[in-house]
């Protein structure tokens, strides 16, 4: 997972739902992406066991303006947001559960 994304910040308006109390896992997916389905399972599982963490999935094709603004180049891309919506980590491809939990350590 790559490091901080400057001061880029996301809120409920861009995500279509509220931020997690402690952190938010934002997943950019596309319809025919097999790794996206596996990533969805991993992130939902982590959000289910770590208190205050939300998982939001965004269809990249339906949100091209956001994809361009955040330089999302492929799916799945996962952004880890802190409680204020700042992007603290970014990863492309299917993440391992342990890596997601480690990345959350920087956000909370």
């Amino acid at each position: 997972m790559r490091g901080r994304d400057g001061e880029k910040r996301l809120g409920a308006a861009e995500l279509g739902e509220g931020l997690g109390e402690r952190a938010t896992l934002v997943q950019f997916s596309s319809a025919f992406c097999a790794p996206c389905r596996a990533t969805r399972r991993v992130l939902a599982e982590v959000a289910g066991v770590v208190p205050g963490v939300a998982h939001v999935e965004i269809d990249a094709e339906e949100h091209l303006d956001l994809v361009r603004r955040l330089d999302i180049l492929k799916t799945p891309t996962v952004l880890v947001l802190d409680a204020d919506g700042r992007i603290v980590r970014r990863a492309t491809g299917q993440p391992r559960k342990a890596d997601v939990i480690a990345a959350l350590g920087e956000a909370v």
Side-chain angles (χ1 to χ4, degrees):
M1 289 201 149
R2 277 189 13 212
R4 295 187 176 268
D5 234 323
E7 281 303 308
K8 288 184 181 166
R9 195 182 284 235
L10 296 174
E14 293 101 337
L15 300 177
E17 54 188 277
L19 293 169
E21 188 180 307
R22 295 173 67 209
T24 307
L25 300 168
V26 180
Q27 174 184 349
F28 284 86
S29 299
S30 51
F32 301 105
C33 163
C36 292
R37 289 189 289 279
T39 298
R40 179 183 313 124
R41 283 192 300 275
V42 168
L43 298 183
E45 207 174 294
V46 170
V49 297
V50 181
V53 174
H55 171 225
V56 177
E57 188 170 3
I58 296 176
D59 184 324
E61 294 157 9
E62 290 180 15
H63 295 87
L64 289 175
D65 53 332
L66 193 55
V67 164
R68 288 185 188 105
R69 186 166 67 98
L70 297 172
D71 295 323
I72 306 295
L73 302 177
K74 64 184 220 174
T75 57
T77 292
V78 177
L79 305 177
V80 179
L81 310 182
D82 66 12
D84 296 323
R86 272 189 303 271
I87 300 170
V88 295
R89 299 292 275 170
R90 162 190 292 252
T92 55
Q94 183 181 330
R96 292 185 0 237
K97 188 174 173 181
D99 294 335
V100 175
I101 291 170
L104 278 173
E106 291 185 37
V108 296

